[in-house]
Every structure is written in C-alpha cells, then in structure tokens.
Amino acid sequence: MTEKVDREKIRRVISSVPLLSASATQLLQTTTDPDHDLQSIVRIVKTDATLTARVLKVVNSAAFGLINEITTLDRAISYLGERLIVGIAIGDCASQLFNKDLQGYEAEHGSLWRHDLRTAIASREVVTQTGADINPDLAFTAGLLHDIGKALISDYLSGTAAEIIAKISAEQTSDYLSAEEEMIGFDHARAGHELALAWKLPATIAEVIRFHHTPAAAQPEYRSLVYAVHLGDNIAMMGGCGTGADSMHYRLDTEYSEYLHLDSNTLASILLAVNEEFNKLERSFAEAGDTH
Amino acid sequence: MGQIILGVGDYGASNRPGEEVKTFALGSCVSVILLDPKTRTVGMVHVALPEAAINKAKSLQKPGYFADTGIPALLNEMAKFGCQPKGKGMVVKLCGGANVMDTNDTFQIGKRNALSIKKVLWKYGMGAVAEDLGGNFSRTVTVSVDTGEILLSSPGRPNWKL
C-alpha cells in the first residue's frame, strides 16, 4: 500500500529543502518584470561572489568556443543572455532538487535536470520560432522549473511505475498526472506549485508549474506562456529526454493552436534547434564544474 | 564488453565479436537497424526527422539526423565492413517512433519518421522484417553483434526482444 500524501506532508518536504538564494529570488523577480534592463541583472549577480564565479566559468567553458577569455561580468552576462544567468543561479541553489534521483519514476541519475534544461530550451524555441508575443527568456525560466514537483513526490511513488503504466495502457486512468493523484493523492504539478508558493516565485512561473499539463485551466493572462511550456515539455520528451517511466505518458492539449501557430515544418526546425542548443548547454554546465 | 553508443543523428556499425551497438531513449526518433548475415555486421542509425529538406546544411554535417540522408550514410559506413553498398541481403529492423498521447497531425513526428524510413528503404528494395514502432513510451535499444539480437527497454516495463 503506497503512502498517501497531503498538503501538510508536501509542506514538510519543502521545509527540508534549502531556500532559493537571495540573488536567485531577485533575479526571478527582476526578469519577470517586462521593464527591466540588463544592468539590473549585472547588479544582482555582482552581490553574489559564488554566482559571479560560476557565470564566468560557464561563459569560458570550451562548449562556447570563445577565442578570448571573458573576464568581466558585464560582458559575460550580455554574451550568455539573462536566461542562462537565471538558469545558473537556479541550477546552483536548487541542485539538491534537480539532482535528486527520481526513483519513483525509475529515472536515470540526472534525468530531472536534463529534462528541465531541455524543456527550457524547447519552450524558448517554441516562442521564438512561432513569433508568439511572449518573453522568450521567461519561457526558458518557467521551463526550467516546470517539473520541480517531481523531486518532492518521487519517493512516495516508489514501486508504482509498472502499475501506473499498466493502468494507462488499459485506459483505466487518463495519464501519468492523474495516476499520481490516484496513487498518492497528490500530483507533481500541485507539489511544484506548493514549492513555488513557499519560495515566493513570481505568479507567472507558479502558474506554469501548476498547469503545464492542463494549460486550458490556467488564468487567461498567463495561458499562452503555459501552452508554450506545455509544448516545450512534450518536445523534450519526444527528443528522448523525459524523467523516466512517465515520459510521453501525458496528453497533448491541441488547443495550443489558439495561442501558438505551429506547423510541422516549424516543429521539425524546433526539434533540430533544441538538440543543438541542448548539447551545447549541457556541455558548458558540465565543464564549468557543475554537479548536474 | 565493447559498446558503440549512438546519439541523436549518429550512425555506426560493428563486426567485432562481443560488441554491442546501442542508442538511448528513442522518443519520436526511429532507430534503423541493419544486420548483414554475410559479413556478420550490425549497423544502426538514430533518425530524428523525416526529411533533410528542412535543413540542407545540417544534413551535410550530420546526415544520420534525417531518414532520407541517414540510410544512405549508414549503408556507406557498412560498405567499409565489406557489406554490399545497396543493402542487398541485409535484414532490416525498426524501433522507436513513439508519439505523445492525443497527438495531432503536426506532432506525429514519430509516425512520419517511420513512413519516410520505409519509403527510403523501399527505394533500395529493402523492407523491415520486424518492427517495434509507435506507442507512447521511449525505448532504449541494444543490438548484439554476436547474435544480432535486439533488446529493448523502457523505464517501468520489463525488457523485451525484437
């Protein structure tokens, strides 16, 4: 019999996880404000010596192939773009969650970080290649955090994967998300949303985490972004980069076409771009001595 | 035991006893496996997209990425092992090509990959004798050079053979 989970239990799990650093929290707040400028990002990173060192390491990693070393933060940040700065900051302080072995999903080590990074890249590509009026950097950040709830509920799901897959195959349950709810009384989208509230993440990101599998239920003002990450998540799984047993066991909401204009050629071009960018970024993070 | 690991868009072949040719987590990608009984060579290409027309430059740099350039590239590679360059006498098997649930036409990349691969094979007069295609789960594929046996795995499922 699997142990049931309620909100109190999830909150207790969350309380055992380190909080986001002050600089990561500020970066998330600043980058979701449409009126911010690059200098405000530089100012935040400068207050955090560890983050500064990591940013310089990443930009000078061989994966970026720069001929001349970049030694100033201003140049590093304008070269990498704010999405990668936020990515490095979040990846560092939430590494305990991103690096968690998702035993409940029978995932390989490092799957959550790789899936989240690939979803981040894919969500951004969806926005840029469809020409949607969404901040592409915000799509990247939201993509990076969308599945963080899996790290909170994975342990409770131990030993359930085969049964869940059999139920989905027999159409006894709709998808992996509803199966999580049926098995342990909580799904990873709701768990992630609780973390978003505890970490006081911006409302847009909290909304993406909560509704990335059910985008039609998101608040209208956030819905196009939620759809972009919904597609980014599916594209990451199609590229063979899921988080284990649940990969591709979710439903595509084809109503995305109300918000994003995507034909099959554009999708093919997105898949290609995602693969290239993912290989580069994964390498640069690894070379920079990242634990992911 | 030696392993040749193929990433997305990679192709490779081996005739070394004891070796395996492997690719991880095929989602919508399709793995084309060519077995040449005469030279005891195993070849595989990890195809991601149906047609090279989407990006010609990429197809020159990494032909294995696309069905229409990947299969000729694999045959060329296998010719280096003494195989017949047009694939004569080879056994063809296909795996992968999964689709997300409730997919629409646009997102049926897995299905389009498989169709395009079959068209290209047909031009060579080749056809798959076995396939494990479609569904909504990812597959890791390992082929033994010694036996030509294909082992498939997917998290949460018992391993199976093709």
Side-chain angles (χ1 to χ4, degrees):
Chain A
M1 184 70 192
T2 44
E3 185 184 343
K4 294 284 175 190
V5 179
D6 57 16
R7 216 171 158 202
E8 278 315 304
K9 264 189 197 164
I10 288 296
R11 286 182 172 173
R12 279 205 296 276
V13 176
I14 290 170
S15 68
S16 68
V17 170
L19 286 173
L20 275 186
S21 66
S23 52
T25 307
Q26 278 174 31
L27 280 170
L28 281 169
Q29 296 293 353
T30 306
T31 53
T32 41
D33 171 4
D35 296 326
H36 74 278
D37 60 10
L38 202 64
Q39 274 312 307
S40 53
I41 308 288
V42 175
R43 278 196 297 276
I44 296 167
V45 178
K46 271 188 177 157
T47 61
D48 185 330
T50 318
L51 181 58
T52 301
R54 292 271 297 118
V55 166
L56 290 171
K57 261 190 174 177
V58 169
V59 77
N60 290 306
S61 68
F64 285 106
L66 296 178
I67 296 164
N68 297 312
E69 191 184 359
I70 288 183
T71 52
T72 67
L73 203 51
D74 298 55
R75 281 194 58 215
I77 293 174
S78 60
Y79 182 83
L80 291 174
E82 65 179 51
R83 69 185 178 284
L84 289 192
I85 306 305
V86 178
I88 293 164
I90 296 174
D92 268 1
C93 51
S95 66
Q96 188 185 328
L97 292 175
F98 283 122
N99 289 322
K100 187 177 169 62
D101 279 332
L102 300 184
Q103 282 174 1
Y105 296 88
E106 299 191 7
E108 303 267 329
H109 177 70
S111 294
L112 182 59
W113 171 251
R114 282 198 301 277
H115 171 69
D116 284 343
L117 182 61
R118 200 166 176 111
T119 301
I121 294 165
S123 306
R124 181 174 184 275
E125 285 295 328
V126 165
V127 168
T128 54
Q129 295 208 32
T130 59
D133 185 20
I134 301 168
N135 175 353
D137 287 339
L138 182 58
F140 183 95
T141 307
L144 199 63
L145 286 162
H146 80 288
D147 259 351
I148 201 77
K150 286 183 184 170
L152 304 174
I153 64 165
S154 171
D155 288 349
Y156 295 102
L157 286 169
S158 279
T160 60
E163 189 181 341
I164 290 180
I165 286 172
K167 276 190 171 173
I168 295 170
S169 303
E171 296 183 9
Q172 287 168 359
T173 190
S174 163
D175 64 357
Y176 220 95
L177 193 77
S178 40
E180 289 172 350
E181 171 77 35
E182 285 163 25
M183 283 284 178
I184 61 167
F186 227 82
D187 67 47
H188 71 266
R190 277 174 62 208
H193 188 248
E194 290 296 331
L195 183 73
L197 298 179
W199 279 0
K200 298 187 171 54
L201 295 183
T204 44
I205 292 172
E207 194 81 352
V208 170
I209 294 173
R210 177 73 184 86
F211 296 111
H212 67 276
H213 289 298
T214 49
Q219 298 279 340
E221 67 263 42
Y222 303 132
R223 209 173 286 158
S224 58
L225 172 70
V226 180
Y227 269 107
V229 177
H230 175 65
L231 295 190
D233 185 18
N234 277 290
I235 288 167
M237 292 189 280
M238 286 165 68
C241 214
T243 53
D246 66 322
S247 190
M248 299 185 95
H249 289 92
Y250 296 100
R251 298 197 173 265
L252 180 74
D253 180 351
T254 51
E255 293 296 310
Y256 71 79
S257 57
E258 298 288 319
Y259 301 87
L260 300 155
H261 304 293
L262 185 67
D263 59 26
S264 48
N265 277 348
T266 310
L267 179 60
S269 162
I270 290 171
L271 283 165
L272 199 61
V274 168
N275 206 49
E276 299 287 296
E277 184 73 3
F278 176 75
N279 288 340
K280 191 168 86 181
L281 286 192
E282 199 195 17
R283 232 173 47 233
S284 69
F285 276 96
E287 282 170 22
D290 207 39
T291 51
H292 302 306
Chain B
M1 188 162 41
Q3 275 192 334
I4 297 182
I5 310 276
L6 302 174
V8 182
D10 287 342
Y11 58 88
S14 169
N15 58 4
R16 260 195 210 175
E19 202 154 67
E20 287 177 341
V21 183
K22 184 167 188 168
T23 196
F24 286 99
L26 294 162
S28 59
C29 296
V30 175
S31 154
V32 181
I33 299 152
L34 300 182
L35 308 162
D36 186 33
K38 208 171 165 187
T39 60
R40 299 189 70 81
T41 306
V42 167
M44 189 199 286
V45 56
H46 183 138
V47 171
L49 291 170
E51 284 161 6
I54 194 83
N55 190 327
K56 282 276 177 207
K58 183 71 193 169
S59 72
L60 294 173
Q61 184 205 343
K62 214 171 175 90
Y65 218 96
F66 307 95
D68 51 352
T69 50
I71 292 170
L74 176 60
L75 285 169
N76 278 342
E77 179 68 16
M78 291 180 75
K80 294 177 192 164
F81 291 76
C83 304
Q84 209 277 337
K86 297 280 184 196
K88 205 176 156 194
M90 287 189 194
V91 175
V92 185
K93 297 189 180 183
L94 305 175
C95 317
N99 293 297
V100 292
M101 294 165 80
D102 288 348
T103 184
N104 59 6
D105 284 349
T106 307
F107 272 82
Q108 286 201 338
I109 300 261
K111 193 176 168 188
R112 283 203 295 281
N113 278 336
L115 277 175
S116 179
I117 284 166
K118 286 176 181 177
K119 264 194 213 164
V120 176
L121 288 170
W122 186 73
K123 280 188 194 160
Y124 285 91
M126 300 164 90
V129 298
E131 56 182 47
D132 189 80
L133 294 168
N136 57 299
F137 51 94
S138 78
R139 296 162 171 90
T140 289
V141 184
T142 312
V143 190
S144 153
V145 173
D146 287 346
T147 61
E149 197 170 77
I150 299 170
L151 185 71
L152 289 113
S153 65
S154 183
R157 290 169 196 264
N159 294 350
W160 69 104
K161 285 176 186 171
L162 179 65

